[in-house]
Amino acid sequence: QPVHGGGSDVTVFRIDNATTSGDLGLSQVALPDPVSVGQNWSLAVTVTNTGPDAAPGVRLSEAMLGTVVFVSATPSQGSCALASGTVSDVSCELGTLASGAGATVSIVVRPTFAETLTATARVASTISDPSGLNNVASVTTTVGPDRIFANGFE
């Protein structure tokens, strides 16, 4: 609603409920597939922001369903650590992603049992995301037994 000052030609508009949004997206691949007990399983996670605005406070979480030992987590920006109270889940604070920008995280774990292993990544930000459907990505592999046979050879 315009506000007119005494005798001036200035009009001031008040804008309410202005929102910003960033469309975060997430993809991940894991190698090798399948993986053997005791062998490193490497996940390459890519977070993107297609805008229209910058996305501040970007957080990535990676949850492991299976028995693994955490080896490392290396982000292209920000920092990563084991999630509080877990031995294998990873939490990353990636900071701000400009519109059109991306960040990657390399996560390495080592399976300790022959089973099906699933890694599920989720990304979020402190601003509105119009399309939350692309904020989750999962990969699954089969963990086979140790590849060393009784005679010591593969």
Side-chain angles (χ1 to χ4, degrees), residues 28 82 113 128:
Q28 68 177 340
L82 280 174
F113 289 103
S128 174

Side-chain angles (χ1 to χ4, degrees), residues 30-32 35 39-43 64 107-109 111 117 119 139 141:
L31 294 172
V35 64
Q39 182 181 21
N40 284 351
W41 193 47
S42 299
L43 296 100
M64 302 290 168
I107 299 171
V108 180
V109 295
L117 179 59
V139 291
T141 191

Side-chain angles (χ1 to χ4, degrees), residues 17-23 51-56 125-130:
N17 299 324
T19 60
T20 57
S21 67
D23 184 10
D53 299 304
S125 174
T126 57
I127 66 169
S128 174
D129 187 335

